[in-house]
Amino acid sequence: MAKVYKKFVVANWKMNPLDADSAVKLFSAIREQAVRARETLVVVAPPLLFLNTLTRLGNDKNISFGAQNCFWEEKGAYTGEISPTMIKGMSADYCIVGHSERRALGETNEMVNRKVRAALRNGLTVILCIGESERDAEGTYLEFLERELHEALASVTKKQLSQILIAYEPIWAIGGSAERSCAPRDVHEVVILIHKFLKDIFRVSAALEVPVLYGGSVAPENTEKLVREGRVNGLLVGGQSLIAANFCKIIEIVDSLVL
Ligand code: PEP
């Protein structure tokens, strides 16, 4: 039976590194750390170009692969797109959907929803990214997050809940050094709200079990506080996932924490 993980560390390599040799080198270093984890799953989401090469190196203990995006159709005349079926065919089990960098290129909640449903239909686990671009004192960003969740998860069934992870990634916190990240207490507040919103949508207690990750300027220095005080099930890491030593440290810290 497949191991059920309580903690996750996701590497979003974005459009890096530049060649397959560097991807293999980075992955090999990450794998060495990941196989030592006790209860943490490390999901590596490289550029699709490298996915086959990396999955062939082996789906080792505590390691899964993910895509950074997918299309909603299975096949056909959609130049430049990759379908969930193709992703699954490359031995990846996860797909990041709705990342803010894709939304900035024009992806709407409706498109995110179509991608979420297609990915789930094809047996992928979706890492659904939500996050506000700014926070206001009146708390309207919370309504924004609620709408993102509602619209992205429209027509998703209760049964599919076990294939969903939510990544809370405030856009203003992405892409900086550790000081830019969201305050752990504020992360915790959003985790509570995400579970409440999911419960409102799905009306089952399993909604409260959906893992919530945090992403945005995660580094070894802020990992412990973000996970412990933010009460998240793990982290989605961009920039620091390209620096093997730092990413390995993040895995080690997350794995050592008792949730
Ligand atoms: C991201 O873009 O998903 C992300 C979390 O990036 P970073 O860690 O660089 O802020």
Side-chain angles (χ1 to χ4, degrees):
M1 211 172 76
K3 181 166 172 180
V4 177
Y5 287 91
K6 285 200 293 189
K7 294 187 277 188
F8 303 83
V9 180
V10 182
N12 176 14
W13 287 0
K14 310 192 184 191
M15 202 167 68
N16 303 288
L18 285 184
D19 56 76
D21 285 350
S22 309
V24 168
K25 207 165 149 212
L26 178 57
F27 173 70
S28 304
I30 291 172
R31 179 171 56 183
E32 258 185 56
Q33 183 68 44
V35 294
R36 281 190 248 143
R38 289 169 307 128
E39 50 184 24
T40 306
L41 180 70
V42 177
V43 180
V44 178
L48 280 174
L49 180 65
F50 307 136
L51 195 54
N52 243 335
T53 310
L54 299 187
T55 56
R56 281 189 187 158
L57 288 177
N59 259 20
D60 272 285
K61 196 172 128 207
N62 308 329
I63 296 180
S64 279
F65 293 94
Q68 299 171 13
N69 179 34
C70 69
F71 195 53
W72 51 78
E73 296 290 348
E74 192 186 335
K75 61 177 183 158
Y78 303 103
T79 303
E81 299 292 354
I82 303 278
S83 75
T85 326
M86 292 166 171
I87 294 166
K88 199 68 189 156
M90 285 189 275
S91 305
D93 290 316
Y94 286 78
C95 187
I96 297 172
V97 182
H99 191 279
S100 58
E101 286 157 12
R102 298 216 56 86
R103 293 180 191 259
L105 292 172
E107 203 166 278
T108 62
N109 282 343
E110 200 230 325
M111 290 157 83
V112 170
N113 175 250
R114 293 175 83 177
K115 292 179 178 199
V116 166
R117 286 185 291 133
L120 294 174
R121 231 180 8 253
N122 282 280
L124 290 167
T125 294
V126 167
I127 301 169
L128 171 64
C129 298
I130 60 167
E132 76 284 1
S133 54
E134 56 183 10
R135 284 192 167 210
D136 55 316
E138 293 75 42
T140 47
Y141 69 94
L142 298 172
E143 287 159 33
F144 176 85
L145 293 175
E146 184 174 16
R147 192 164 59 249
E148 278 198 324
L149 264 188
H150 265 271
E151 294 183 9
L153 296 174
S155 301
V156 170
T157 66
K158 293 181 176 55
K159 226 174 131 199
Q160 290 172 319
L161 264 180
S162 60
Q163 279 171 259
I164 294 171
L165 278 71
I166 307 294
Y168 171 54
E169 296 214 300
I171 297 170
W172 51 267
I174 290 178
S177 50
E179 310 81 64
R180 192 200 278 201
S181 72
C182 185
R185 286 182 56 162
D186 296 341
V187 172
H188 182 41
E189 179 187 66
V190 174
V191 171
I192 293 170
L193 277 163
I194 286 174
H195 280 137
K196 181 196 173 305
F197 297 151
L198 291 173
K199 183 89 193 301
D200 292 344
I201 298 170
F202 291 97
R203 306 196 169 279
V204 282
S205 56
L208 304 174
E209 307 297 320
V210 170
V212 179
L213 315 183
Y214 166 79
S217 300
V218 171
E221 306 90 278
N222 58 17
T223 291
E224 179 170 350
K225 273 192 158 224
L226 281 166
V227 175
R228 198 196 290 284
E229 294 172 27
R231 312 262 187 107
V232 285
N233 299 89
L235 302 166
L236 199 165
V237 188
Q240 296 282 306
S241 70
L242 297 167
I243 304 169
N246 291 2
F247 190 65
C248 290
K249 191 74 200 158
I250 292 169
I251 298 170
E252 189 189 334
I253 297 170
V254 170
D255 194 54
S256 70
L257 296 171
V258 179
L259 292 190

